[in-house]
């Protein structure tokens, strides 16, 4: 545990140096996420009109919740592979692999840190979304945080798979765009409004189940006692742990392939 904390400290120091040297990349990424929301929101509002408060099959409140959850999911799936691609490009990937911690623990530390970074910036970002839409949500972080953690863990499974693919193929740009955006469409719709087959498919995705629980807590004022009795929390927990375990297993397999082929030492 002490060694893992030292690893977290080292990663925080590295991120601080990166942000200080390349502030424009961080600022532009935040602006991009915000402007994507504005573009989709006002486009839908233009199509459906001011009198229609429901669009895309969901209330505006539910749409804001879905988009915020998608930000968590997108970070979980793409952050690790993006970092590995950059480190392979500048030639330090093999040094990371040979570190005493091992690459898998470095990725776990980065996953923890990106969750903390987004969690700390979430109140500011959520405030901007609420000002833009004119809809203000009453949030209870004590009830929402466990759902965010479980959902993030499940989506990290996809992140580990993409990280393993990055080790082998190095450039996987289209996948980093397609996979995070794919569940966004499903997340925007209330799961009850989907077809039967899509409902079954959506329930096996941690993001969709997490969005469903957040909506129940925020919009319908349900508490975790009710959700636990209904088995909703257990479904999300089992789903997330299963995806995380599968993701780590696939990553280790692909890492071994990359090592056997000698792909860690060059780009």
């Amino acid at each position: 545990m002490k060694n893992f904390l030292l690893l977290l400290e080292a990663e925080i120091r590295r991120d601080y140096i990166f942000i200080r040297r390349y502030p424009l990349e961080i600022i532009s990424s935040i602006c991009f996420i915000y402007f994507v929301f504005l573009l989709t929101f006002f486009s839908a509002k233009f199509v459906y009109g001011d009198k229609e408060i429901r669009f895309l099959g969901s209330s505006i409140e539910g749409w804001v919740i879905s988009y915020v959850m998608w930000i968590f999911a997108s970070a979980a799936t793409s952050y690790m592979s993006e970092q590995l691609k950059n480190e392979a490009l500048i030639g330090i990937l093999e040094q990371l692999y040979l570190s005493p911690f091992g690459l898998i623990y470095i990725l776990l530390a980065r996953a923890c840190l990106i969750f903390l970074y987004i969690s700390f910036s979430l109140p500011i970002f959520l405030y901007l979304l609420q000002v833009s839409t004119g809809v203000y949500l009453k949030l209870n972080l004590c009830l929402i945080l466990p759902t965010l953690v479980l959902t993030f863990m499940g989506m990290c499974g996809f992140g580990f798979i993409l990280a393993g693919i990055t080790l082998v193929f190095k450039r996987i740009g289209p996948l980093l765009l397609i996979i995070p955006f794919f569940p966004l469409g499903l997340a925007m719709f209330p799961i009850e409004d989907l077809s039967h087959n899509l409902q079954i498919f959506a329930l096996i995705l941690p993001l969709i189940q997490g969005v469903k629980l957040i909506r129940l807590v925020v919009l319908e004022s349900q508490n975790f006692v009710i959700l636990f009795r209904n088995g909703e929390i257990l479904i999300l927990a089992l789903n997330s742990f299963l995806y995380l375990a599968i993701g780590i297993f696939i990553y280790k397999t692909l890492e071994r392939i990359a090592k056997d082929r000698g792909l860690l030492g060059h780009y």
Side-chain angles (χ1 to χ4, degrees):
M1 184 63 181
K2 182 178 179 180
N3 291 336
F4 190 73
L5 293 177
L6 290 175
L7 178 58
L8 288 176
E9 180 184 354
E11 286 294 320
I12 292 174
R13 190 181 302 117
R14 182 190 71 93
D15 290 340
Y16 170 73
I17 294 173
F18 183 85
I19 293 173
R20 188 179 62 185
R21 291 182 178 178
Y22 310 104
L24 185 59
E25 181 174 0
I26 304 299
I27 296 172
S28 60
S29 298
I30 296 173
C31 292
F32 172 77
I33 294 174
Y34 180 59
F35 285 125
V36 166
F37 175 84
L38 292 182
L39 177 63
T40 52
F41 174 76
F42 286 108
S43 297
K45 193 171 183 181
F46 174 78
V47 172
Y48 286 88
D50 294 332
K51 296 181 180 180
E52 183 63 56
I53 194 171
R54 293 180 63 86
F55 56 93
L56 295 177
S58 175
S59 65
I60 298 178
E61 295 90 340
W63 203 64
V64 171
I65 293 172
S66 299
Y67 193 80
V68 171
M69 291 292 289
W70 171 77
I71 293 173
F72 273 91
S74 179
T77 54
S78 61
Y79 182 74
M80 290 183 284
S81 55
E82 280 283 356
Q83 292 294 312
L84 289 180
K85 183 189 73 173
N86 293 334
E87 285 153 353
L89 183 62
I90 62 179
I92 64 172
L93 182 58
E94 190 174 25
Q95 287 88 331
L96 290 176
Y97 183 81
L98 296 175
S99 70
F101 298 101
L103 199 52
I104 186 71
Y105 288 102
I106 293 176
L107 294 179
L108 285 172
R110 290 176 179 176
C112 294
L113 289 179
I114 194 62
F115 178 83
L116 291 177
Y117 295 156
I118 297 177
S119 298
F120 286 137
S121 61
L122 182 61
I124 299 175
F125 189 75
L126 187 59
Y127 175 76
L128 292 176
L129 296 186
Q130 292 179 134
V131 170
S132 302
T133 59
V135 174
Y136 294 87
L137 303 174
K138 295 181 179 180
L139 303 177
N140 187 336
L141 291 180
C142 295
L143 296 177
I144 294 174
L145 187 59
T147 302
L148 291 178
V149 172
L150 289 174
T151 304
F152 188 85
M153 287 175 54
M155 297 308 296
C156 277
F158 292 98
F160 275 107
I161 294 174
L162 289 177
I165 295 174
T166 302
L167 289 180
V168 178
F169 297 101
K170 298 300 187 291
R171 286 181 176 269
I172 60 168
L175 279 178
L176 293 180
L177 295 175
I178 294 171
I179 292 182
F181 273 96
F182 172 70
L184 177 61
L186 289 177
M188 290 300 176
F189 291 89
I191 192 171
E192 298 81 7
D193 295 342
L194 301 175
S195 65
H196 178 69
N197 292 334
L198 281 178
Q199 285 189 33
I200 295 175
F201 177 73
L203 284 174
I204 66 175
L205 295 176
L207 173 61
I208 311 304
Q209 181 68 9
V211 169
K212 178 184 177 182
L213 295 186
I214 295 293
R215 282 176 169 172
L216 290 175
V217 170
V218 176
L219 303 182
E220 300 183 19
S221 301
Q222 294 194 20
N223 56 48
F224 267 22
V225 176
I226 298 175
L227 297 179
F228 185 82
R229 289 176 180 175
N230 293 338
E232 300 283 358
I233 294 295
L234 292 178
I235 292 175
L236 177 60
L238 292 174
N239 204 352
S240 295
F241 279 110
L242 179 62
Y243 272 101
L244 183 61
I246 292 174
I248 292 176
F249 173 77
I250 294 177
Y251 166 80
K252 294 294 291 183
T253 302
L254 293 172
E255 182 187 67
R256 186 164 56 250
I257 293 173
K259 180 182 176 182
D260 293 339
R261 295 181 182 178
L263 300 175
L264 296 176
H266 63 86
Y267 186 67

